Amino acid sequence: MNAGSAVVRCALVVLCSAACVTTAQEGEQMRQDIASLRADLKKEMDATAGDRQKDQQRAKALQDALDQLSRAARKSGADLAVDVEKNQNDVAALRGQLEVIQHRLDAVEKSAQEQQKALEAANQFVAQQKKEQERPTDRGALYNLARQRLDQGQTAKARDLFQDFLNRYPKDELAANAQYWLGETFYAEKKWNDAIVEFQKVLKEHKASDKIPDALLKIGMSFQAQGDCQNALLFFDEVAQAHKTAPAAKTAHDHATECRRKKASAPKK
């Protein structure tokens, strides 16, 4: 039971008592009780007013806190929006810078490619000039230089010179010889099949050449070097029978004899 309820009950008791009071002493007592009741009621009202003020203060403090939180939230949201916009602007700026850099890189790469092409063209020109300076333009001098390189064992250079001669002078009287010596460059390197191909061109393209017996002989020797005496004998016999007076005929006979001796001594299967 709170103080307010106690005061109300006391007031009821006093009122009930007043209905029965008749003496002066009792009337005085009643006045004292009423005065006491009024004092208690005032205290109660003062206490209630104080509690109400405290509640109001607490409510105001709570409202202030809520308002502050609301302002903070709105401020945070605004700051976040500002940050997002700033980040978007930064990204856009970086993309712009990247595009500029990429454009510059493309330009540099294009320039480098053009410079590389120009350098390659210049190198080719210099190489061609050097080649022409090292290589005679006169047919006889070119042929003699090719033979000289072959005699020196520079087979690759000799092959290049002989091929150049054939490209420039395919119908020249020295073309058959150049073709034969071109085959000799491969034969010297023991590239037997390549040699056979080049020697056969002498037979097909220069049928009237005095290099025919030599080309037949070297084809036979190329087969023999690979252990193929069966095909080798066909060419050795062709030289011995069709070109008996040629210097290559005796060499062909000797190689044919060697092939037959090996065949005879080989174990029978």
Side-chain angles (χ1 to χ4, degrees), residues 241-252:
Q241 295 173 11
H243 306 278
K244 296 179 181 180
T245 59
K250 182 179 183 307
T251 305

Side-chain angles (χ1 to χ4, degrees), residues 3 6-8 10-12 14-15 29-47:
V7 171
V8 171
C10 288
L12 290 175
V14 169
L15 290 174
Q29 182 63 43
M30 183 180 67
R31 284 193 294 271
Q32 292 177 0
D33 290 339
I34 291 173
S36 178
L37 177 61
R38 286 177 177 173
D40 292 339
L41 180 59
K42 186 178 184 303
K43 290 180 181 179
E44 178 65 21
M45 291 178 65
D46 291 341

Side-chain angles (χ1 to χ4, degrees), residues 135-145 165 168-169:
R135 182 172 304 177
T137 55
D138 177 76
R139 53 180 286 280
L142 180 59
Y143 179 84
N144 291 334
L145 180 61
F165 182 92
R168 293 186 185 188
Y169 314 106

Side-chain angles (χ1 to χ4, degrees), residues 6-170:
V7 171
V8 171
R9 296 192 66 178
C10 288
L12 290 175
V13 172
V14 169
L15 290 174
C16 292
S17 299
C20 302
V21 171
T22 57
T23 65
Q25 184 178 1
E26 289 176 348
E28 182 63 26
Q29 182 63 43
M30 183 180 67
R31 284 193 294 271
Q32 292 177 0
D33 290 339
I34 291 173
S36 178
L37 177 61
R38 286 177 177 173
D40 292 339
L41 180 59
K42 186 178 184 303
K43 290 180 181 179
E44 178 65 21
M45 291 178 65
D46 291 341
T48 301
D51 292 339
R52 186 183 300 113
Q53 185 178 6
K54 290 180 181 179
D55 289 340
Q56 290 176 348
Q57 290 176 351
R58 284 196 294 269
K60 186 177 183 303
L62 178 60
Q63 185 63 45
D64 291 342
L66 290 174
D67 292 342
Q68 186 176 1
L69 289 175
S70 178
R71 287 194 299 271
R74 287 195 298 272
K75 184 177 179 181
S76 298
D79 290 343
L80 178 61
V82 170
D83 291 342
V84 170
E85 183 178 1
K86 182 178 182 300
N87 290 337
Q88 290 176 343
N89 293 335
D90 290 344
V91 170
L94 289 175
R95 286 178 178 173
Q97 294 176 6
L98 181 60
E99 290 178 358
V100 172
I101 293 173
Q102 186 62 49
H103 180 72
R104 291 177 180 174
L105 289 176
D106 292 342
V108 170
E109 183 177 0
K110 182 178 180 181
S111 177
Q113 291 176 352
E114 292 176 352
Q115 291 178 2
Q116 182 64 29
K117 289 180 180 179
L119 180 61
E120 291 176 357
N123 288 338
Q124 290 178 357
F125 178 77
V126 171
Q128 183 64 29
Q129 291 292 319
K130 184 178 180 180
K131 186 177 181 180
E132 291 179 357
Q133 291 175 1
E134 294 177 349
R135 182 172 304 177
T137 55
D138 177 76
R139 53 180 286 280
L142 180 59
Y143 179 84
N144 291 334
L145 180 61
R147 283 296 309 274
Q148 182 181 353
R149 293 291 181 266
L150 180 60
D151 293 341
Q152 293 171 346
Q154 301 178 27
T155 53
K157 291 184 178 180
R159 181 161 51 246
D160 182 53
L161 292 168
F162 282 125
Q163 189 62 64
D164 187 22
F165 182 92
L166 291 170
N167 291 337
R168 293 186 185 188
Y169 314 106

Side-chain angles (χ1 to χ4, degrees), residues 214-229:
D214 295 317
L216 288 168
L217 173 63
K218 283 303 177 72
I219 292 173
M221 292 173 65
S222 295
F223 278 117
Q224 185 182 20
Q226 298 179 82
D228 186 358
C229 273

